[in-house]
Amino acid sequence: MKAIVSVFAQDSKGIIAYVTRLLAEKEINVLDISQTLMQEFFAMIMLVDLSDCALSFTELSRFLQEKGQERGLDIHIQRQDIFDAMHRV
Amino acid sequence: MSYLLNSGEILQTIQMISQQHLDVRTITMGISLLDCADTDTEACCRKLYDKICRCAGRLVQTGCDIENEFGIPIVNKRISVTPISLVAASCKAADYVPIARTLDRAAKTTGVNFIGGFSALCQKGFTESDLKLIRSLPEALSETELVCASVNVASTRAGINMDAVRLMGEIIKETAERGPMGCAKLVVFSNAVEDNPFMAGAFHGVGEPETVINVGVSGPGVVAHALKECKGESFDVVAETVKRTAFKITRMGELVAQEASRRLGVPFGVVDLSLAPTPAVGDSVAEILEIMGLERCGGHGTTAALALLNDAVKKGGVMASSHVGGLSGAFIPVSEDAGMIASAKEGTLCLDKLEAMTCVCSVGLDMIAVPGDTRADTIAAVIADEAAIGMVNNKTTAVRIIPVKGKTVGDSVDFGGLLGSAPIMPLHGGSAAEFIARGGRIPAPLHSLRN
């Protein structure tokens, strides 16, 4: 299953490294990354593949949120379908 | 970004959810209780409790799972059932309060927010059972927390049952004596629909399947945000913007509905294309009308603005869903909309304007608080006016009016949660007592003869 990981935070060094490490730890492959700065605000969107991830979606979502909070990052994961439904006919 | 997605679109969706209050307002499971009929009331209660718990046992958990995986809030998970006046018709009970208590218990066991269908359809006349149900309403509504009731008193085909209108005036007064919450859970309809997922008026019609999943979408905040970008543009642009936004919102609702239907193994019914406000700032239908250029919702121009909004929501939404139904349109519940509350408090939004607005939007006089000393025949006359609008215009109209005991114009009442708070609104003087006392039926209009 593919999903979208979104990360929002105050910009600082090492955010991408931190998040990708979390994902690698759970056997999640990153397919694509887009990152922008909106003023001082860091926004990153990642398309990831969950095929090899052993956690359930709910467990993974909780894991990312908790680990994100430890570093002051707002991390969410959502199934890709919601974006496809809204923006693709 | 490759893989067909671009980060701009993803950010737009995330912002709609996190900042513009986009949500799925309700997943409502309709359950037929026709097979629960029994002459013994206790047996009937036992059957319907078991059936509801069996069918809807996984509803709330499934809703939460979908919410989690798609990252879209699903605010309410609810149940609608066959109108109880039909289910209980063969019971030998003197009243239906025990059945309401059972529904309440089933709602609590399944964990839903509300259960709708303590209802009677008597647009042309009463059955014995309709009368028993209606007379049970004051006690049933005050003794239960989660049970919602509705009574259909008129339709384009049948006309207006003015005996039912009179009786509902009295019942609403009596219900109000026991506290304002009872009336907030009671809707009087004209042209009630059988697949409405929204409370308090949801029930599972007899033409519906055994069980069904209906979904109500929302998103006034998203529409408001989109319209802020078209300041000074013509109405053509405004209508087009609302349509595009409604399309996106509804696509999301359709996805959630299909997913819920698949996971629960229950057929998908309809998506109800509604703009349902909440008391939260930025989640208001009134605000949309004001962004269109009105200083205050309720001023002149409001009806035209609402007509455009209502139509564009439907046009945008209908292409995004395989089946559309329910009430579909913009809701204008006064107590549940921060903009309406402000405008009503200020006196710009009055009952007459609301009545006019109900001619062009999806429902009716909704969540209107009036002085506690309002007479039953005045309430009945308000219902009759609204029923006439529904009957003549071939549309659903409803009245959810709350005479608040001990309060008068200038006071306000707080219902809590999504039901919000409402200022007490003034009604006109001049008695309708003689008019309401006539009883009988107002005949169906000429255009009811469509065959």
Side-chain angles (χ1 to χ4, degrees), chain B residues 333-362:
Chain B
V334 176
S335 76
E336 298 172 19
D337 187 311
M340 302 254 175
I341 296 170
S343 185
K345 272 191 177 146
E346 203 185 80
T348 314
L349 183 63
C350 63
L351 214 61
D352 292 345
K353 194 65 190 177
L354 278 164
E355 192 177 309
M357 288 160 77
T358 67
C359 301
V360 299
C361 78
S362 77

Side-chain angles (χ1 to χ4, degrees), chain B residues 171-251:
Chain B
I171 292 291
I172 287 172
K173 275 292 279 187
E174 213 182 302
T175 305
E177 282 296 311
R178 295 165 181 256
M181 273 312 287
C183 293
K185 297 182 289 172
L186 172 59
V187 185
V188 185
F189 272 118
S190 169
N191 288 323
V193 293
E194 300 202 327
D195 54 4
N196 162 26
F198 286 101
M199 294 296 168
F203 63 85
H204 184 73
V206 288
E208 296 285 307
E210 186 70 19
T211 52
V212 73
I213 288 289
N214 296 320
V215 164
V217 298
S218 185
V222 183
V223 174
H225 179 82
L227 286 183
K228 278 183 191 156
E229 310 285 306
C230 354
K231 197 169 169 57
E233 301 280 0
S234 73
F235 284 115
D236 311 69
V237 177
V238 171
E240 202 53 33
T241 306
V242 175
K243 271 162 66 182
R244 282 167 194 265
T245 313
F247 179 83
K248 289 182 182 173
I249 295 171
T250 311
R251 287 274 288 187

Side-chain angles (χ1 to χ4, degrees), chain B residues 97-154:
Chain B
V97 178
I99 297 178
R101 285 205 195 97
T102 308
L103 291 175
D104 202 40
R105 204 156 52 83
K108 285 174 183 162
T109 306
T110 51
V112 295
N113 319 75
F114 277 122
I115 185 163
F118 196 74
S119 307
L121 311 176
C122 50
Q123 59 271 29
K124 210 161 185 181
F126 302 109
T127 61
E128 293 287 320
S129 184
D130 292 336
L131 282 171
K132 265 196 232 175
L133 182 130
I134 292 173
R135 294 200 171 112
S136 308
L137 284 170
E139 193 180 344
L141 289 171
S142 65
E143 296 215 350
T144 59
E145 270 179 78
L146 306 178
V147 175
C148 291
S150 54
V151 177
N152 193 54
V153 297

Side-chain angles (χ1 to χ4, degrees), chain B residues 44-120:
Chain B
C44 176
C45 287
R46 201 168 48 241
K47 283 189 205 169
L48 65 86
Y49 177 83
D50 289 346
K51 183 161 188 191
I52 293 169
C53 294
R54 189 176 73 245
C55 294
R58 291 194 299 124
L59 174 65
V60 173
Q61 186 54 48
T62 306
C64 292
D65 290 346
I66 294 175
E67 193 167 22
N68 221 331
E69 289 178 28
F70 292 97
I72 173 85
I74 300 169
V75 184
N76 299 299
K77 293 93 184 169
R78 293 165 167 174
I79 296 170
S80 64
V81 297
T82 310
I84 292 299
S85 74
L86 301 176
V87 180
S90 54
C91 288
K92 291 199 177 76
D95 67 68
Y96 293 161
V97 178
I99 297 178
R101 285 205 195 97
T102 308
L103 291 175
D104 202 40
R105 204 156 52 83
K108 285 174 183 162
T109 306
T110 51
V112 295
N113 319 75
F114 277 122
I115 185 163
F118 196 74
S119 307

